[in-house]
Amino acid sequence: MAGFLDVILRGLILAAQAVAVGGVCFLLLVLRPFGSRPVPDLVTRARSLRLIALGALVLAIGQTLALASELYVLLHDAVWPLMAAVQTLYVQVSLVRILAGVALAVCALQLRREPEERRGLWTAIGLLAATIVAAAPWTSHAAARLESRGPLLLLDGAHQVAAMVWVGGLVHLIAAAIGRGPRPWPVALLQRFSNLAPTWVVVLVVAGVGLSIYYVDDVSALVGTAYGLMVMTKVVMLAGLLVLGALNSRAIRRMDGRVEADQVTMRRFVEVEVGLGLTVLFAAASLTSLAPAVDLTHDRR
């Protein structure tokens, strides 16, 4: 039961950081420079900023709960001194993520209340999102490796940020469609997101393959360990996500020359894509709670 709750908490943290960091990228790369207008869609911007604040706050709360759980184990079960526990990398990185999440939530809410653009707040939001991204791989398996630590941290960081931008961006794309009726998005907005998504998909897949090659050393580890089976499950779900993304991209390319998208079917595709993307994040969370297959050299089924 404790293991299940741990996976749920880890999945919630991954989903929250995707909404927060992916939302920042959505605002800066998709919405803010949208079209030729110097001022973005204020309604959509307000929704995204509210979502960013919510995601950042949930990230901070989730990381606090995860940290409390780890400290309880160290202080009570492992009988570590408090100062020794505080000096561990996991505790220090967790504190950075908590503070960055709270600060990002505050900045996003403050910017939402501002009627005009404020460069200082945009800079702070960008730096805080970058801090969350930089700290993310240091709570993963990569940070605990003694060999190949640097490359694994880079691969894990690239894998996580690509997932944040893609899945988080989709969440904000859905939020932008709320209240627009059967014509949920301007075509230019969809095209801008569609043009950026393939880059992050390539990064996600390449980094994921690199991590899998290292953590799953052969076929027996792939089919004979819980870690390997979960990797295959994640691959199947990711393949479905890629198919949906390709269908959406194809539909968007056919809209050239139109002002608004009027396909309700595509909106449903995007909603399904968001749901499957969040499910993939929870599958990734389950991997972080399992020992890598490369470390399980005995009793492989």
Side-chain angles (χ1 to χ4, degrees):
M1 185 64 179
F4 175 76
L5 292 176
D6 180 62
V7 170
I8 294 298
L9 181 58
R10 290 173 186 266
L12 187 63
I13 291 172
L14 289 179
Q17 75 177 9
V19 171
V21 176
V24 173
C25 292
F26 181 81
L27 282 178
L28 295 176
L29 302 178
V30 179
L31 185 64
R32 195 165 181 236
F34 168 52
S36 59
R37 295 173 298 173
V39 179
D41 181 338
L42 294 180
V43 174
T44 302
R45 189 191 78 159
R47 288 174 180 171
S48 284
L49 286 169
R50 187 164 56 243
L51 268 178
I52 290 170
L54 177 62
L57 188 58
V58 172
L59 167 63
I61 293 172
Q63 195 68 58
T64 300
L65 293 175
L67 177 59
S69 175
E70 292 294 333
L71 284 176
Y72 179 83
V73 171
L74 290 175
L75 298 178
H76 291 79
D77 295 351
V79 199
W80 279 37
L82 177 60
M83 289 306 299
V86 171
Q87 291 173 1
T88 61
L89 180 63
Y90 178 83
V91 171
Q92 294 174 351
V93 171
S94 295
L95 290 174
V96 169
R97 283 166 60 81
I98 292 167
L99 293 174
V102 172
L104 179 56
V106 171
C107 288
L109 291 176
Q110 180 63 32
L111 186 59
R112 181 175 175 268
R113 289 192 290 267
E114 294 290 336
E116 299 178 356
E117 301 284 313
R118 286 188 58 182
R119 186 178 298 274
L121 278 175
W122 279 113
T123 301
I125 284 175
L127 290 175
L128 289 167
T131 300
I132 292 172
V133 167
W138 290 94
T139 60
S140 67
H141 286 309
R145 309 305 296 183
L146 296 178
E147 71 288 342
S148 304
R149 191 187 198 189
L152 288 173
L153 285 170
L154 290 175
L155 285 173
D156 194 280
H159 190 65
Q160 288 201 50
V161 72
M164 292 179 212
V165 176
W166 185 19
V167 178
L170 286 170
V171 172
H172 286 263
L173 200 61
I174 288 294
I178 294 174
R180 292 184 183 269
R183 297 174 182 269
W185 300 286
V187 172
L189 181 65
L190 285 173
Q191 289 176 333
R192 185 179 289 276
F193 182 81
S194 181
N195 290 337
L196 290 172
T199 300
W200 296 109
V201 169
V202 170
V203 173
L204 179 73
V205 172
V206 171
V209 169
L211 290 170
S212 297
I213 290 174
Y214 181 86
Y215 288 129
V216 184
D217 55 344
D218 58 34
V219 176
S220 65
L222 190 64
V223 299
T225 65
Y227 189 94
L229 292 173
M230 187 54 65
V231 167
M232 288 195 294
T233 302
K234 183 182 173 184
V235 167
V236 171
M237 289 190 292
L238 181 59
L241 191 57
L242 290 173
V243 170
L244 284 172
L247 291 174
N248 282 335
S249 180
R250 181 182 179 185
I252 291 168
R253 286 196 302 271
R254 292 179 175 179
M255 295 178 187
D256 287 339
R258 301 183 189 178
V259 177
E260 290 187 317
D262 56 358
Q263 297 186 19
V264 177
T265 301
M266 196 185 72
R267 176 173 175 175
R268 291 172 182 165
F269 270 146
V270 175
E271 291 171 347
V272 173
E273 195 174 349
V274 169
L276 192 54
L278 293 175
T279 303
V280 171
L281 291 181
F282 276 86
S286 69
L287 286 175
T288 63
S289 66
L290 297 171
V294 69
D295 296 332
L296 303 175
T297 57
H298 302 289
D299 298 325
R300 293 180 178 177
R301 294 188 294 274

